[in-house]
Structure formats: C-alpha cells, structure tokens
C-alpha cells in the first residue's frame, strides 16, 4: 500500500557542480526536495520505488545499487541508487546505467543520507499510455505493506521565450493544473492529463505522475505543494503526499 510520495523535478542542474555560477538559483528547489524526502523517511516505508522519465519507450527497472553518472555533463560525479547488496563497494549485476532522472534522484537520496528502506528504480517512457502508467502504479503499491514513491519529472519546458521548447501560451495553464493536482493529491486529475498536450509542452513528468496516480488510488493521501517555479522557463514542482 502506498503510504507516502514525494514529487521532485529532475533537471541535472539540481546538482550544484553542474550549475556552476547559477547554482544558487535552484537553492529553494533543492531545499524543497530535501523537505519532501523527509516526509518519505517519516513514513517508515518497507520499500522506496523511484520513478522517473526514461530515455526509451516502454519502461525499465533498476535494482538497488544501480549506478548513474553526470560525466556526460562535464563533471566527475557518479551516483548510486542506494547501497548495493553486501555494502557500498559491492558490484552490481547490471551494466545498465541509470537514466538522468533516476541519477538526479540518486543524488538527492545520497545528499540526504537515505538509509530507511530498500530502493528500486523504474524509468517510464514518454509515450507510455495513461492506462499502462496507472496499472504500473497499482502494481507498485501492492509490492509491500508500506510503499513510498519518489516521483521525478518536470512540468512544461515552454514557459518563456528562452525555454528549451520556446514560449507556448498553453504552458502556464497546464503547469498550474498539474501544480493544483499535486498539491491536492488529486488522483483523477493526474490520471486524465492530456497526453498529447503534455508531449507538445515537453512535460517529462506526465508518465511518472500517472504512475503515482495509479499507486495512490484509494490510498486516501493528502497532498501539499512545496515549490512551484520556472527559473529557466521549465516548470519545476515539488510536492508531498502522505
């Protein structure tokens, strides 16, 4: 059963070394993410599943201890999704690297010293239908008596002229609707997000948010919105459900 969830954005710029001189611009987002992870820890889950947008179609699971890296962004930083079986330096029986969204999640978890429950990762592809996302969420919620979710994903990337997707007047209303749904733990609203519109607005969080909706179905959780801004023309949202 899902007992808690945290929703965080997943830009690599959350890692200060990548942001360099612009790092302070996301200090408030980092602080909100830290607070959100505190809610997960307080829930004392038996299992934490990290869900984020994948780089391929479909979905892919990643075991505890799976490695990720930010070397492709020009910094010598590696991360791990929790401690590998047998200790920090034990080998992981997979060569598949974490996608960027899960690497950011791993960095957040390392930064806050997460050691409260076993961790698994799941990357979901942008084209995954809503019904499949919610089904995956329900399956996750049934994995243990007390399940927590860390849900990674950005809102629209079209909030300003300098945004990655350029300015789209539909972006701000879309992000506002998502922020409201996350802040109110509105499962129905997340389940019925417009997939085509989310794709056009480059909202990478759509599929992960709908996994959350499936996991939270009938859980009766209350929501809270901790952060809502678009410092680089991309909507970043942080929320908690508990």
């Amino acid at each position: 059963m899902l007992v808690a969830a945290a929703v965080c954005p997943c830009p690599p710029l959350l890692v200060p070394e990548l942001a360099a001189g612009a790092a302070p611009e996301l200090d408030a987002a980092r602080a909100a993410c830290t607070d959100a992870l505190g809610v997960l820890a307080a829930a004392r889950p038996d299992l934490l599943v990290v869900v984020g947008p994948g780089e391929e179609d479909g979905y892919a699971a990643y075991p505890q201890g799976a490695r990720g890296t930010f070397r492709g962004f020009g910094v010598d930083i590696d991360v791990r999704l929790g401690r590998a079986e047998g200790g920090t330096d034990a080998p992981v029986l997979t060569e598949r690297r974490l996608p960027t969204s899960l690497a950011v999640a791993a960095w957040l978890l390392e930064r806050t010293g997460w050691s409260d429950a076993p961790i698994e990762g799941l990357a979901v592809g942008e084209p995954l239908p809503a019904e499949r996302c919610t089904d995956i969420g329900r399956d996750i919620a049934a994995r243990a008596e007390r399940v927590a979710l860390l849900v990674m994903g950005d809102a629209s990337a079209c909030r300003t002229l300098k945004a990655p997707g350029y300015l789209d007047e539909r972006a701000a209303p879309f992000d506002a609707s998502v922020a409201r749904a996350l802040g109110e733990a509105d499962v129905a609203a997340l389940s019925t997000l417009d997939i085509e519109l989310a794709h056009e607005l480059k909202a990478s969080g759509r599929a992960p948010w709908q996994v959350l909706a499936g996991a939270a179905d009938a859980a009766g959780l209350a929501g809270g919105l901790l952060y809502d801004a678009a410092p680089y023309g991309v909507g970043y949202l942080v929320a908690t459900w508990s």
Side-chain angles (χ1 to χ4, degrees):
M1 177 181 179
L2 186 71
V3 295
V7 178
C8 295
C10 57
L13 290 176
L14 274 181
V15 181
E17 291 84 350
L18 273 70
E25 294 182 20
L26 288 180
D27 280 348
R30 294 184 193 98
C33 290
T34 298
D35 291 343
L37 266 61
V39 171
L40 297 185
R44 300 185 179 276
D46 301 317
L47 173 67
L48 172 64
V49 179
V50 182
V51 182
E55 296 161 359
E56 300 177 0
D57 295 349
Y59 57 95
Y62 294 82
Q64 177 162 315
R67 295 180 183 273
T69 184
F70 295 103
R71 294 174 188 265
F73 296 96
V75 295
D76 187 15
I77 297 177
D78 297 323
V79 292
R80 203 165 200 168
L81 192 64
R83 295 172 62 90
E85 295 295 332
T88 303
D89 297 324
V92 180
L93 300 179
T94 178
E95 296 298 323
R96 190 171 58 205
R97 295 286 182 177
L98 295 171
T100 301
S101 65
L102 298 189
V104 173
W107 179 83
L108 287 171
L109 291 164
E110 288 183 1
R111 181 172 181 260
T112 55
W114 179 271
S115 60
D116 299 84
I119 306 174
E120 296 178 9
L122 182 69
V124 288
E126 192 270 343
L128 209 64
E131 296 80 5
R132 186 68 187 112
C133 291
T134 53
D135 285 346
I136 290 171
R138 293 187 186 98
D139 290 343
I140 291 173
R143 293 278 310 282
E145 185 175 344
R146 298 182 65 80
V147 176
L149 281 181
L150 173 53
V151 183
M152 309 298 293
D154 300 338
S156 71
C158 304
R159 291 280 292 272
T160 66
L161 292 173
K162 295 184 178 180
Y166 196 66
L167 176 65
D168 190 314
E169 299 295 343
R170 301 171 298 173
F174 175 86
D175 287 359
S177 68
V178 173
R180 185 203 62 78
L182 292 175
E184 297 177 4
D186 190 336
V187 169
L190 291 181
S191 300
T192 56
L193 285 174
D194 188 323
I195 296 177
E196 183 176 350
L197 178 59
H199 172 72
E200 292 174 357
L201 296 177
K202 304 183 185 302
S204 69
R206 191 277 305 172
W209 298 332
Q210 291 186 323
V211 171
L212 168 61
D217 189 27
L221 303 181
L225 187 66
L226 307 186
Y227 181 85
D228 177 4
Y232 305 113
V234 182
Y236 297 150
L237 302 167
V238 179
T240 58
W241 293 15
S242 61

